[in-house]
Amino acid sequence: MRKGTLRQILLITDGCSNHGEDPIAMAALAKEQGITVNVIGVLDQDTIDESGLREIEGIALSGGGISQVVYAKQLSQTVQMVTRKAMTQTLQGVVNKELKQILGPDVSLEDLPPEKRGEVMEVVDELGETVELEVLILIDTSGSMKTKLPTVKEALLDLSLSLNARIGDNRFAVFVFPGKRGNVEKIVDWTPKMEELSTVFPKLTSGGLTPTGPALREALTYFERKRSLRSLIRDDESYFEGSM
Amino acid sequence: MMNHTLKGLCNLRAGTVVTGKWHHQSYKLLKPLGHGANGVVYLAESMKGIVALKLSDNSEAVTSEVNVLRRFSKVQGVALGPSLLDVDDWVTPLMKKHIPFYVMEYIKGEDFSTFIRKRGKEWIVILLLQLLSALDKLHQEGWVFGDLKPENLLVAGPPPTVRLLDVGGTTLQGRAIKEFTELYDRGYWGLGSRKAEPSYDLFAVAMIMIQSCCPIKLERKGDGRHQLISIIQADGMLRKYQAVLMKAIDGKYKRASEMKQDLLATIHRSAHSHSKQRASKKTTQKSQRSKKRKRGKAKSVVETALIIAVLLCAYAIYVYHQILP
Ligand SMILES: Nc1ncnc2c1ncn2[C@@H]1O[C@H](COP(=O)(O)OP(=O)(O)OP(=O)(O)O)[C@@H](O)[C@H]1O
Ligand SMILES: [Mg+2]
C-alpha cells in the first residue's frame, strides 16, 4: 500500500511583511493546494508589535496550520513541536473525513465515546509515523533577523533529527527571502538530510524588504504537482478499511 | 507558552465539580498538583476516593496518554505509571466547549529532586536502580518512556519507591520519540538519534544522575560529550560511576538490566575497596595503639590506683555525711 505525502511550508519570520501580495491570501492559496502553512515568530529581547502578531496568526489560520511566537532560545523545541503538531492536525483531518464517510456527516471525533477515540488516535499516530513528509522552510532574512540566523540553523538541524527518527521518508527544502535577485531564493534543494545547511548559512546576507506574500506564492511552485493531499486520502482508504 | 483555555483550566477554584458527559462520574477538585505543556493535574475527591485528574485543551494528547496508560494497566504486577480510572469529557459553561479529561490513581509522594535534597545523595543510586528495573519491564513490553526527567519521577512510600509519571512521551519502539526535554535528550547533546530505543531512556538516566549530583544549570556548549565528561570528572560521586555513565551516554547498553548490573557492580566494588581500606587502616591503627599501650603500661597502673583512691575518698566523705547529718 502506497501512502500519500504530507506537504508543509514552515515560515520563520520576526514580523510584518512590507512588500507585495497579502501573505494571508497566499497562505489560503497554499491550503487550497493541499499545502499546510505553519508560522513561527521569533522574538529577541523585544516584543513583537500587534500587527506583526496578527499577521503571523492570520497566515497560519488561513494556511490551515499552527503558529507560535517564541524567543530565539526556545526555537529548536518549538520548530519540531509545531511541525509534528501540524502533521497530526492534518492527518486528524484526513481521518475525520474518513470517519464521516463511515459514520455519517455529523459525526466528529468529539462525538465518539472516549474508548473509540483511542482507536482513531492509534491510526493517526501510525500515519504520522509512516507518512512521507515534505517541508519547505521559508526563512525571513530581512535585516532584523540577522542575529537570529545561527539559532534558526540550529533549530532546523534539530528538526531534521526529530523527523528523521520517523519510519516515513522526509524531504526538506530551504528558501530565504528576500533573495539576491528576486523575492525568494533557493538555498537547499529537496533533500532528505539537512546537513548541507551548515555550509550555506554563513554566506547569507540580509536584505531590506520583507516580501512575505510573494515568497509564499513562489514557494508553492516548488512542490511537485502530481502528489496531493487528495491522493493521501485515496491511498489510505484501503489501509483504513483493513484496520477497522 | 500557554493558550487561553489552558490558562483557564489552571485557575479552577477548589470545590469545582467536574462531571463526565459519558460515564456521569463527578469529581470535586481539591487543589492543583502541577501543570505542563498540555494539561493541568488536580487532586480530586470522588466516590472512589482521592484521585488525580488531568484536564487538557488537547484532545489528541489526552487520547494518546490514555492509550498508553491503558496498555500499562494490562501489565500485571508492576506499576509502570499511575493506574487509569476513568476517561471522559467535561461539559462546562465556563469554557464553552468540551474539556477532555482522565482520572488516575493519585500517587502520594515527593518529586525526585526534593526527595534527594532532603534525604541525601546516597539515595540517588538506589532510586535509579529501582527506575532501571521499571524501565526494563517497560522496554520488554515494547515501549520507551521518552520524556524521562526528575520532574516526571515521584518518590512514593514508605519505603521510598520511585514511580513514573506523565506518559506523554511514551513511544512504541522503532518510532520517533513523541515528547522530550532537551537536557535529557541525547539528540540535543549531539549523541544519538531520537528513535525510540531502550538506549534513549538510558541516556536520560545518566543525565538524571549527573543533574542530581551537581544541580547546576546545564546547557550544551560545543562538543556535548566532552562537556559531560568534564562534569563527571569534576564531581567525586559521579567520578566513581564514570564507566557506567559513559557507557549509557554512548548508547552502549542494549538493556536497562545491563546498566543496573554495572551500577550494582560499581557499588560493590567501591564498598569492597572501602572496607578493605578501612580494614588496612584498622590494623595499622591497632598496632600503633598496642605499641602505645605497651609503653604506657606502668603509667596506667599508677593512674588507675589514683582514680580508685579518689573515688574511695569521695565515697568515705559521702558515707560520713549520711551517718552524721
Ligand atoms: N497521578 C499523579 N499523582 C500525583 N501527582 C501527579 C499525578 N499526575 C501528575 N501529577 C503532578 O502533576 C504534574 C504535571 O503533570 P504532567 O507531567 O502529567 O503534566 P504535563 O502537562 O504532561 O506536563 P509536561 O510539560 O511535563 O508534559 C506532575 O509533575 C506531578 O507533580
Ligand atoms: Mg510532565
Side-chain angles (χ1 to χ4, degrees):
Chain A
M1 139 205 66
R2 213 194 122 267
K3 293 225 169 75
T5 304
L6 275 194
R7 298 141 105 205
Q8 297 186 352
I9 290 177
L10 177 67
L11 172 64
I12 301 177
T13 179
D14 68 349
C16 251
S17 64
N18 56 17
H19 182 75
E21 300 101 319
D22 180 2
I24 297 179
M26 293 306 109
L29 181 63
K31 191 183 172 196
E32 283 312 307
Q33 296 178 33
I35 298 164
T36 308
V37 185
N38 299 312
V39 194
I40 293 174
V42 201
L43 300 180
D44 238 348
Q45 315 308 331
D46 50 299
T47 49
I48 207 158
D49 66 334
E50 195 60 34
S51 63
L53 197 62
R54 254 203 315 274
E55 185 177 286
I56 285 170
E57 284 173 356
I59 296 172
L61 199 65
S62 73
I66 292 171
S67 69
Q68 182 98 28
V69 177
V70 292
Y71 287 102
K73 228 174 147 34
Q74 303 157 291
L75 200 60
S76 289
Q77 284 250 343
T78 308
V79 164
Q80 69 93 18
M81 202 190 71
V82 162
T83 307
R84 291 300 301 245
K85 243 189 172 160
M87 277 177 75
T88 311
Q89 188 173 295
T90 311
L91 290 168
Q92 186 86 59
V94 173
V95 173
N96 280 351
K97 251 184 227 161
E98 289 292 313
L99 275 179
K100 282 191 170 58
Q101 279 191 356
I102 300 168
L103 302 171
D106 302 325
V107 179
S108 75
L109 195 62
E110 318 269 277
D111 301 316
L112 288 179
E115 293 71 32
K116 284 270 170 290
R117 249 174 254 173
E119 290 167 31
V120 176
M121 198 58 212
E122 269 174 24
V123 175
V124 173
D125 269 357
E126 165 89 33
L127 276 173
E129 185 63 35
T130 52
V131 73
E132 272 177 43
L133 179 68
E134 285 177 356
V135 189
L136 191 152
I137 296 142
L138 196 54
I139 307 164
D140 172 356
T141 52
S142 62
S144 52
M145 279 291 288
K146 186 152 187 87
T147 55
K148 297 160 196 161
L149 287 181
T151 327
V152 170
K153 189 186 89 185
E154 293 269 305
L156 294 181
L157 290 173
D158 193 81
L159 176 70
S160 94
L161 190 68
S162 271
L163 294 177
N164 283 329
R166 297 183 325 123
I167 295 166
D169 289 333
N170 304 295
R171 300 207 308 148
F172 305 98
V174 184
F175 288 72
V176 294
F177 67 98
K180 271 208 196 76
R181 276 173 293 276
N183 287 319
V184 67
E185 185 182 335
K186 174 169 73 186
I187 62 168
V188 178
D189 204 352
W190 292 109
T191 165
K193 285 220 152 75
M194 265 200 279
E195 269 90 68
E196 296 162 48
L197 213 58
S198 314
T199 54
V200 194
F201 250 70
K203 290 183 230 142
L204 285 182
T205 48
S206 33
L209 291 175
T210 313
T212 313
L216 273 171
R217 173 171 46 71
E218 281 179 45
L220 288 181
T221 64
Y222 285 93
F223 283 97
E224 282 177 51
R225 291 244 171 246
K226 57 179 199 286
R227 290 186 285 182
S228 69
L229 189 67
R230 229 184 287 128
S231 78
L232 176 70
I233 302 171
R234 215 180 309 121
D235 286 346
D236 283 317
E237 244 163 34
S238 58
Y239 170 79
F240 221 81
E241 278 157 12
S243 71
M244 291 281 279
Chain B
M1 247 168 250
M2 251 190 231
N3 66 35
H4 226 65
T5 321
L6 191 51
K7 231 179 252 159
L9 291 178
C10 286
N11 295 323
L12 292 172
R13 250 186 295 129
T16 305
V17 175
V18 173
T19 304
K21 167 187 163 187
W22 301 91
H23 306 140
H24 313 290
Q25 298 288 317
S26 291
Y27 304 91
K28 192 164 111 192
L29 303 186
L30 299 176
K31 64 163 191 193
L33 288 171
H35 65 83
N38 38 31
V40 50
V41 180
Y42 284 91
L43 186 69
E45 199 179 75
S46 77
M47 302 267 283
K48 297 169 209 156
I50 297 293
V51 294
L53 187 151
K54 182 163 181 170
L55 293 155
S56 174
D57 60 330
N58 183 340
S59 177
E60 283 99 65
V62 163
T63 309
S64 346
E65 283 178 30
V66 164
N67 272 350
V68 173
L69 287 174
R70 226 179 235 136
R71 295 279 178 88
F72 284 1
S73 57
K74 284 181 195 154
V75 184
Q76 284 290 308
V78 275
L80 293 179
S83 56
L84 181 70
L85 302 172
D86 191 13
V87 192
D88 217 322
D89 293 328
W90 178 35
V91 186
T92 163
L94 293 170
M95 308 289 172
K96 286 187 247 119
K97 65 176 185 184
H98 295 189
I99 307 293
F101 70 89
Y102 68 85
V103 182
M104 60 192 144
E105 164 199 6
Y106 167 57
I107 301 173
K108 193 166 158 37
E110 245 170 340
D111 80 276
F112 189 85
S113 311
T114 313
F115 183 90
I116 300 296
R117 210 176 323 113
K118 284 193 188 158
R119 303 282 294 264
K121 287 189 176 175
E122 66 268 34
W123 280 95
I124 296 173
V125 186
I126 294 162
L127 295 179
L128 291 186
L129 288 171
Q130 291 182 7
L131 175 62
L132 286 168
S133 303
L135 287 176
D136 199 51
K137 297 208 178 88
L138 191 95
H139 295 160
Q140 278 178 317
E141 292 294 316
W143 296 87
V144 162
F145 189 77
D147 199 5
L148 202 55
K149 55 179 172 179
E151 295 88 326
N152 284 343
L153 298 175
L154 268 191
V155 186
T161 313
V162 80
R163 294 286 302 267
L164 291 161
L165 275 186
D166 188 4
V167 295
T170 306
T171 310
L172 275 175
Q173 281 177 30
R175 295 191 172 186
I177 294 289
K178 268 197 232 154
E179 227 175 77
F180 57 87
T181 305
E182 279 184 348
L183 196 54
Y184 303 90
D185 162 50
R186 65 182 183 189
Y188 170 77
W189 290 97
L191 289 164
S193 76
R194 294 205 174 114
K195 230 185 210 336
E197 309 164 326
S199 55
Y200 185 89
D201 279 344
L202 300 179
F203 178 92
V205 172
M207 288 309 299
I208 292 176
M209 182 149 178
I210 290 172
Q211 204 43 163
S212 311
C213 282
C214 44
I216 44 160
K217 191 152 167 32
L218 262 183
E219 198 177 306
R220 181 181 166 188
K221 291 194 185 77
D223 183 346
R225 190 171 186 276
H226 207 79
Q227 190 182 348
L228 293 178
I229 292 178
S230 40
I231 293 170
I232 291 169
Q233 284 175 341
D235 181 274
M237 184 165 170
L238 291 175
R239 209 179 315 125
K240 211 164 79 184
Y241 295 100
Q242 178 167 0
V244 188
L245 289 171
M246 286 321 293
K247 238 175 125 176
I249 285 170
D250 290 333
K252 295 230 177 80
Y253 288 117
K254 292 276 167 297
R255 290 192 53 174
S257 57
E258 287 171 25
M259 184 171 173
K260 186 180 168 185
Q261 284 315 314
D262 277 6
L263 267 185
L264 278 172
T266 311
I267 295 168
H268 286 313
R269 206 177 321 120
S270 72
H272 191 64
S273 67
H274 240 247
S275 60
K276 237 207 226 143
Q277 249 175 28
R278 220 180 297 142
S280 63
K281 223 185 262 167
K282 235 181 235 160
T283 47
T284 53
Q285 263 175 9
K286 213 185 271 166
S287 60
Q288 269 173 3
R289 224 182 292 145
S290 61
K291 252 184 248 156
K292 234 186 252 163
R293 214 185 288 152
K294 245 179 252 159
R295 242 189 284 132
K297 210 163 201 174
K299 214 165 110 196
S300 70
V301 170
V302 176
E303 264 168 25
T304 316
L306 219 94
I307 290 166
I308 291 172
V310 170
L311 281 175
L312 276 175
C313 276
Y315 184 68
I317 292 165
Y318 171 75
V319 170
Y320 180 77
H321 274 269
Q322 289 280 313
I323 298 167
L324 293 169

